[in-house]
Amino acid sequence: MSVDVLLGLQWGDEGKGKIVDVLTNDYDIIARFQGGPNAGHTLEFDGIKHVLHTIPSGIFHKNSINIVGNGVVIDPIIFKNEIDSLEKLNIDISKNLLLSKKAHLILPTHKLIDEASERSKGKLKIGSTLKGIGPTYMDKTGRNGLRVGDITSINFSDKYELLIKKHKKILSNYNFNYDLLKLEKEWLSGLETLKKFQHIDSENYLHKAYKSGKKILAEGAQGTLLDIDFGSYPYVTSSNTIAAGACTGLGIPPNSIKEVYGIFKAYCTRVGSGPFPTELFDEVGEKIGLIGKEFGATTGRKRRCGWIDLPALKYAININGVTQLMMMKSDVLSNLDHIKVCTHYSYNGKNIDYIPFDTEGNSIKPIYIEMPAWKEDLTKLQSIDNIPIELLNYIKFLEKELDTPIKIVSVGPDRKQTLKR
Ligand code: GDP
Ligand code: IMO
Ligand code: MG
């Protein structure tokens, strides 16, 4: 069969969790390919809201297998919390959650190093979620890391102690106080939870599944503009969030990928530091944030809000080879006076429609067109045929500019508030 990939085209929080949940009925396997508990993927159905950090967003469907791929980094403490929350809801996931033996572990000291490093940066801080993501991926590429498959090896504690010793040396370079004992206790308890799940050679599992005709959906975390290579460096995360990340993060070959679903908000948000050309600093931005409940699902931080940015979306579509778009949170823009769309940037006195190398400070200025806003409440709509003409015009304009079809229009956080085109 084939592998389809679903990923964010902006700075994360586009609504990936919701759409993976909506699409899961069409797939046998949902596999997360990168990132860690810096992600917060929200799902809503039957009046309950769930936030997942490590576990793939297909977990609420009994018949789907959910795989945490080799490209993911796992914090046993957060993983245990997620499992505990699911168990409280009487959801049995012991058989349909599988963990790659090659996924790296976030140690308590990774989180401490993350925090110490951010503090030392002062104003230049990345705005990290402080979940230890950067230091864990650094140990992965530095060939020091510990993996899920190591947990059951007889010399695991020796490997752990060796790495902790290294980390203590790093921490001694910072003026930073910490209490490792408490964190270690929680971490070891989380490790016991991790041990209860099946640890698999996920690349082999996926190859077999693929050959036997199973349908696989690869779930991304973060967004293209946070990608370590192509994002707004250094204000990025430490993994490849793009479609290519699905290949390295799951061991699937590029030619197995069929559809690439690109998710974006009808506007734009960013949490953490870094350039954001279309950011709003006025009451419209405040209103969007308030109506869209734009607070981080992982850290609760207020998300910065702004208008949709077409040069950035085109860039993301090209890098990922997006075949279908999904526009989220259209309901949030109801009742604005008008909507602005950034079509170009002004850069060194010229109009450009791509992201230049240097986007910090005021080097690029967005150029907007204005479009009429829709006044209706969209949240009760049952069919795409009933959307207001202004929204239809907005969709058609974006499709033309982006040269890619918009197949899903989301009009609320609930599973059911999803209009297919
Ligand atoms: P993810 O990280 O991409 O999975 O996105 P998050 O879960 O961090 O953030 C998206 C937020 O928007 C969540 O609170 C969702 O419940 C919510 N959401 C998703 N789609 C819609 C939508 O169409 N309308 C509204 N109002 N909220 C939405
Ligand atoms: P989901 O999957 C939004 C941001 C952080 C920070 C930068 C680096 O929910 O879309 P890190 O913790 O990786 O060191 O942080 O990336 N960031 C996210 N922003 N959604 C996310 O994930 C994010 N994961 C990381 O705010 O600016
Ligand atoms: Mg999120």
Side-chain angles (χ1 to χ4, degrees):
M1 280 296 255
S2 60
V3 183
D4 297 335
V5 179
L6 181 143
L7 44 78
L9 298 180
Q10 296 163 321
W11 279 289
D13 302 331
E14 296 89 350
K16 298 175 291 293
K18 169 182 163 162
I19 295 297
V20 170
D21 172 59
V22 167
L23 296 181
T24 297
N25 279 334
D26 300 335
Y27 291 90
D28 302 295
I29 299 171
I30 310 296
R32 233 318 264 283
F33 61 86
Q34 46 67 235
N38 47 350
H41 294 180
T42 316
L43 294 75
E44 273 189 53
F45 53 87
D46 302 338
I48 306 177
K49 177 171 153 178
H50 308 272
V51 182
L52 298 168
H53 301 287
T54 321
I55 298 172
S57 303
I59 200 70
F60 295 99
H61 295 251
K62 266 204 275 317
N63 298 328
S64 76
I65 294 291
N66 289 262
I67 297 180
V68 178
N70 58 281
V72 177
V73 291
I74 303 177
D75 179 345
I77 301 177
I78 296 177
F79 180 79
K80 179 179 186 305
N81 290 343
E82 284 185 77
I83 298 296
D84 290 349
S85 315
L86 291 172
E87 279 176 355
K88 269 191 207 135
L89 297 169
N90 286 326
I91 298 170
D92 177 17
I93 51 168
S94 55
K95 298 219 167 40
N96 63 345
L97 179 63
L98 312 173
L99 311 176
S100 167
K101 286 184 188 170
K102 294 192 174 76
H104 279 246
L105 296 173
I106 301 177
L107 269 56
T109 36
H110 283 132
K111 282 192 277 196
L112 296 173
I113 296 171
D114 211 1
E115 198 178 337
S117 156
E118 275 283 80
R119 272 204 211 166
S120 73
K121 287 189 165 140
K123 276 193 188 149
L124 296 176
K125 71 173 184 185
I126 306 298
S128 166
T129 60
L130 303 180
K131 304 294 176 196
I133 306 297
T136 306
Y137 280 113
M138 278 164 73
D139 270 337
K140 175 178 177 175
T141 51
R143 297 160 294 182
N144 297 314
L146 291 182
R147 300 183 290 176
V148 167
D150 292 322
I151 297 175
T152 44
S153 78
I154 42 165
N155 56 356
F156 179 69
S157 354
D158 296 342
K159 286 183 182 170
Y160 174 83
E161 288 304 332
L162 193 70
L163 193 50
I164 291 281
K165 214 165 128 192
K166 231 177 229 171
H167 289 166
K168 281 184 177 164
K169 268 193 201 150
I170 296 173
L171 282 164
S172 68
N173 294 325
Y174 294 100
N175 180 16
F176 184 73
N177 294 323
Y178 56 89
D179 178 4
L180 183 57
L181 276 180
K182 183 173 168 282
L183 274 175
E184 267 186 330
K185 213 172 143 209
E186 283 181 64
W187 195 82
L188 290 170
S189 151
L191 217 54
E192 293 309 310
T193 304
L194 263 187
K195 279 185 193 162
K196 290 184 198 153
F197 286 83
Q198 278 187 68
H199 304 168
I200 60 162
D201 294 309
S202 53
E203 59 285 7
N204 291 339
Y205 185 98
L206 287 167
H207 296 157
K208 278 196 191 128
Y210 174 76
K211 285 190 178 139
S212 69
K214 296 267 196 285
K215 282 200 82 182
I216 301 162
L217 179 65
E219 175 179 358
Q222 289 79 55
T224 303
L225 304 177
L226 288 170
D227 179 85
I228 183 72
D229 283 282
F230 296 103
S232 44
Y233 193 88
Y235 301 99
V236 293
T237 190
S238 299
S239 63
N240 280 116
T241 60
I242 57 173
C247 296
T248 54
L250 294 173
I252 52 162
N255 60 357
S256 66
I257 296 175
K258 199 168 154 222
E259 299 295 331
V260 179
Y261 306 123
I263 305 219
F264 67 101
K265 282 178 185 165
Y267 48 99
C268 201
T269 64
R270 172 164 208 171
V271 61
S273 329
F276 181 178
T278 61
E279 183 167 10
L280 284 164
F281 299 95
D282 58 6
E283 65 281 5
V284 181
E286 283 293 319
K287 192 172 170 185
I288 292 175
L290 218 59
I291 297 173
K293 301 200 175 92
E294 295 296 356
F295 296 92
T298 296
T299 58
R301 288 177 296 173
K302 198 172 167 183
R303 296 179 184 140
R304 300 153 65 190
C305 297
W307 297 118
I308 198 159
D309 181 339
L310 297 188
L313 274 179
K314 284 179 192 168
Y315 173 80
I317 288 168
N318 286 340
I319 284 175
N320 292 303
V322 171
T323 58
Q324 298 185 26
L325 290 165
M326 292 160 178
M327 184 166 86
M328 311 301 289
K329 303 195 99 160
S330 318
D331 53 302
V332 175
L333 297 187
S334 288
N335 287 316
L336 294 182
D337 292 336
H338 57 258
I339 292 170
K340 284 193 184 182
V341 178
C342 166
T343 54
H344 294 81
Y345 304 131
S346 164
Y347 178 64
N348 290 336
K350 279 198 197 128
N351 281 5
I352 58 167
D353 68 351
Y354 63 91
I355 305 182
F357 179 77
D358 167 30
T359 53
E360 278 204 56
N362 285 326
S363 69
I364 57 174
K365 291 218 166 17
I367 298 173
Y368 293 108
I369 60 148
E370 252 180 49
M371 294 188 72
W374 45 94
K375 301 293 170 191
E376 292 86 337
D377 171 16
L378 307 180
T379 57
K380 312 245 168 2
L381 285 179
Q382 303 282 326
S383 155
I384 194 75
D385 298 331
N386 301 330
I387 60 171
I389 184 73
E390 295 85 356
L391 173 58
L392 184 62
N393 288 340
Y394 189 59
I395 292 170
K396 285 190 171 164
F397 178 74
L398 296 183
E399 280 186 323
K400 189 161 160 270
E401 288 287 312
L402 302 171
D403 198 19
T404 316
I406 297 178
K407 291 291 205 181
I408 281 182
V409 177
S410 177
V411 292
D414 193 275
R415 225 185 227 177
K416 291 193 182 128
Q417 293 169 304
T418 311
L419 309 177
K420 295 196 177 163
R421 286 178 87 224

